Amino acid sequence: LLLLLLAQLCSASLVPEREKDPEYWRRQAQDTLRNALRLQRLNQNVAKNLILFLGDGMGVSTVTAARILKGQLQHGQGEESLLEMEKFPYVALAKTYNTNAQVPDSAGTATAYLCGVKANEGTLGVSAGVTRDRCNTTKGQEVTSILRWAKDAGKAVGIVTTTRVTHATPSAAYAHSANRDWYSDGEMPPDALEGGCKDIARQLVENIPDIEVIMGGGRKYMFPKNASDVEYPHEEKHRGTRLDRRNLVQAWQEAKPPGKVAKYVWHRQELLALNLSRIDFLLGLFEPGDMVYELDRNNHTDPSLSEMVAVAIRMLQKNPQGFFLLVEGGRIDHGHHEGKAKQALHEAVELDRAIGLATRLTSAQDTLSVVTADHSHVFTFGGYTPRGNPIFGLAPMQSDVDRKPFTSILYGNGPGYKIVAGERENVSAVDFAHADYQAQSAVPLRQETHGGEDVAVFAQGPMAHLLHGVHEQNYIPHAMAYAACIGSNRAHCNAGARPAAPLLLPFLALLVLLC
């Protein structure tokens, strides 16, 4: 009885005092209603700028858990917190399946939300007529991306990622490949090389040579096989991989028009010291492979995603016709695959920090910002946890079957499956708050899998209301292109939508504040 009373007292103390007053919730709802009514005045400007933020593997459960983590990092209880993406007024759901897969991969999905066409798993920038690994099925099946549409319309374009710049998400913006793993010719089978298929790193340099900003990891795919890495000269795994012996960084610089300045950097201090007004093209490759998890990042040598995004936007804003920028928080996915929820969620919080920064550096009057994921993961959190429970903490009870505690965060499958002396591991005996702790899973797998449920799409800016319901994932770039009057569907551009007059923007902002 005493324990029950204590539990009830503790539970009552978790409720903030203001939330005990019904008027608090009524006022909050009425404020939300007033904001919703303001949305009846649609922003139908032409989008000068487009930013697509892609959280790789950032399913809805990841978004919710990241929200709680963000709040707890700010010393709140967490649940009442708001991510920057959650401040966007329009939300939709995207159906993520690939043409041949119920639960998709990142390559087929990237082709959908960048090129506007659904595709087979493992393939990039090609139609579903292409079979994975079959180089000879590629010819004539190439599909172009919204990055290419923006470039063809005279806009500046950029790619920023925490993975390799040749990884699935970024490469669908510029490459056409029957296999997402063909990072360099060193990863390609002989028949693909003989068939004339190009590796992804080479396509990055050759397909759209005037991409203004490219930042992320993936140095080793740009240099000759066995060439020492500039940062890790004694580590064999970080050496160059190219069989053709080409230096693609040099080739990237040489491909630029005369009089244009193309700058390559590999170190954070170099990046932050750049005078962007004197640079026309920027290539930043900060790791041989993927960039390091945010929790483990070397703050001296490697920039954060937010820092890269800030530089990218300032570079791209120099073009008076506007820009398209793809920003990927790519290692959310990797954290989940490894069963390391803490790594994954901190990656999601950093992506959200970059979203907030980009929102401050641009205007919703002329910039359409879209945040989404390629797919989800079999990641969940539950267990009747009380308000403010540490997101990486234990559920408040033990299992009524094996009498052992369990963490709120669990995976449906993955490397966290552990049997000790014939029973489920007792998590109270391990450091479950460690950054590399692998949360328990129901099924043992070396790598946890993707999830198949729909993912959220958050939108703000011109024509953001076009993202409004349950959509096929490939609809996203069509809606964005329509908003910006790029791509093939431009019949409306001379009639309905109109560019935001720059001189009117301060007055519009003032009106919004007064309303």
Side-chain angles (χ1 to χ4, degrees):
L1 183 63
L2 182 61
L3 286 173
L4 186 62
L5 283 169
L6 280 170
Q8 288 173 340
L9 281 169
C10 287
S11 178
S13 69
L14 294 174
V15 182
E17 204 56 39
R18 65 182 183 179
E19 293 184 14
K20 295 176 184 177
D21 181 0
E23 278 305 307
Y24 167 79
W25 298 105
R26 292 172 185 139
R27 281 194 303 272
Q28 184 200 69
Q30 289 299 317
D31 286 345
T32 304
L33 179 60
R34 277 189 290 276
N35 288 334
L37 289 168
R38 285 192 191 113
L39 293 176
Q40 303 310 304
R41 297 192 293 275
L42 299 177
N43 178 348
Q44 298 187 70
N45 296 331
V46 173
K48 176 183 176 183
N49 309 312
L50 300 169
I51 309 179
L52 178 57
F53 297 94
L54 195 285
D56 199 308
M58 191 176 69
V60 172
S61 57
T62 298
V63 172
T64 309
R67 174 202 308 151
I68 293 171
L69 173 60
K70 176 185 176 181
Q72 293 181 349
L73 290 171
Q74 294 171 345
H75 310 295
Q77 289 178 305
E79 298 85 0
E80 71 293 334
S81 181
L82 264 184
L83 292 169
E84 297 296 330
M85 66 185 87
E86 293 174 325
K87 298 173 185 176
F88 286 15
Y90 297 96
V91 183
L93 290 174
K95 298 160 68 175
T96 64
Y97 67 91
N98 295 150
T99 44
N100 66 342
Q102 185 178 75
V103 178
D105 93 310
S106 295
T109 52
T111 304
Y113 62 74
L114 286 171
C115 303
V117 174
K118 287 226 173 191
N120 292 327
E121 65 87 27
T123 65
L124 287 164
V126 290
S127 76
V130 173
T131 306
R132 185 169 186 167
D133 290 326
R134 297 276 298 279
C135 168
N136 61 2
T137 63
T138 308
K139 194 170 178 60
Q141 300 296 323
E142 299 89 349
V143 292
T144 57
S145 77
I146 188 169
L147 181 141
R148 165 78 78 168
W149 310 340
K151 174 52 72 174
D152 289 347
K155 295 184 184 295
V157 296
I159 295 168
V160 174
T161 180
T162 52
T163 65
R164 288 153 276 187
V165 295
T166 49
H167 209 254
T169 297
S171 57
Y174 58 82
H176 314 285
S177 180
N179 190 319
R180 58 175 286 177
D181 297 327
W182 292 348
Y183 303 122
S184 77
D185 58 351
E187 286 77 42
M188 293 177 69
D191 66 300
L193 291 170
E194 290 159 13
C197 282
K198 292 181 183 179
D199 65 87
I200 295 167
R202 184 177 163 194
Q203 292 189 59
L204 172 62
V205 172
E206 296 179 358
N207 285 7
I208 311 177
D210 50 354
I211 297 174
E212 280 84 354
V213 177
I214 305 164
M215 282 190 279
R219 271 196 305 263
K220 66 182 180 180
Y221 306 110
M222 311 293 279
F223 293 102
K225 189 168 179 64
N226 292 325
S228 294
D229 182 72
V230 63
E231 189 175 1
Y232 309 101
H234 305 300
E235 294 192 39
E236 196 171 330
K237 66 179 180 179
H238 293 322
R239 289 179 182 172
T241 63
R242 301 202 61 79
L243 299 178
D244 60 10
R245 311 299 299 166
R246 290 183 70 190
N247 178 333
L248 289 186
V249 170
Q250 187 179 330
W252 171 82
Q253 289 176 312
E254 291 172 352
K256 301 299 175 283
K260 296 292 184 181
V261 178
K263 183 71 176 174
Y264 165 65
V265 296
W266 63 268
H267 196 287
R268 177 178 180 266
Q269 304 304 321
E270 276 186 291
L271 177 72
L272 299 183
L274 291 174
N275 182 342
L276 301 181
S277 64
R278 297 180 180 175
I279 298 167
D280 300 297
F281 300 95
L282 173 61
L283 173 63
L285 301 175
F286 303 101
E287 286 291 330
D290 298 319
M291 294 189 71
V292 178
Y293 284 126
E294 178 62 21
L295 279 178
D296 303 330
R297 180 172 61 87
N298 182 324
N299 203 28
H300 178 67
T301 57
D302 290 356
S304 67
L305 181 59
S306 299
E307 288 170 335
M308 291 191 290
V309 166
V311 171
I313 289 175
R314 291 185 180 110
M315 272 283 290
L316 299 175
Q317 282 175 330
K318 294 189 293 181
N319 186 325
Q321 295 186 68
F323 65 82
F324 169 82
L325 174 61
L326 171 64
V327 178
E328 185 197 19
R331 303 217 64 199
I332 301 167
D333 177 71
H334 296 173
H336 281 322
H337 277 309
E338 294 174 3
K340 297 175 180 176
K342 192 164 192 174
Q343 297 284 13
L345 295 185
H346 276 272
E347 292 295 305
V349 169
E350 174 57 24
L351 172 63
D352 194 64
R353 193 176 291 121
I355 292 166
L357 179 62
T359 302
R360 292 189 295 276
L361 290 174
T362 56
S363 164
Q365 286 304 311
D366 67 358
T367 302
L368 173 61
S369 299
V370 176
V371 183
T372 190
D374 46 357
H375 54 74
S376 186
H377 275 267
V378 292
F379 160 86
T380 188
F381 70 100
Y384 301 115
T385 45
R387 179 77 179 270
N389 200 69
I391 191 62
F392 304 114
L394 295 173
M397 74 283 227
Q398 295 183 341
S399 164
D400 57 5
V401 177
D402 67 11
R403 306 296 175 190
K404 288 186 173 69
F406 59 98
T407 54
S408 172
I409 285 175
L410 296 167
Y411 287 96
N413 57 51
Y417 179 94
K418 287 187 178 65
I419 298 296
V420 178
E423 295 185 339
R424 182 172 67 91
E425 182 180 53
N426 190 330
V427 293
S428 61
V430 297
D431 182 5
F432 51 77
H434 192 278
D436 290 328
Y437 170 71
Q438 293 174 307
Q440 291 186 341
S441 66
V443 174
L445 287 178
R446 286 189 179 89
Q447 290 264 301
E448 175 263 7
T449 72
H450 296 167
E453 74 272 18
D454 298 349
V455 296
V457 186
F458 305 90
Q460 172 179 271
M463 308 302 278
H465 53 278
L466 296 179
L467 294 156
H468 63 98
V470 180
H471 304 298
E472 293 287 1
Q473 193 170 43
N474 67 293
Y475 168 71
I476 293 170
H478 291 278
M480 295 182 74
Y482 182 92
C485 284
I486 62 174
S488 57
N489 184 2
R490 296 198 300 271
H492 63 289
C493 295
N494 297 326
R498 61 195 184 282
L503 292 174
L504 287 177
L505 291 180
F507 299 105
L508 289 169
L510 184 61
L511 277 173
V512 168
L513 287 171
L514 291 172
C515 287

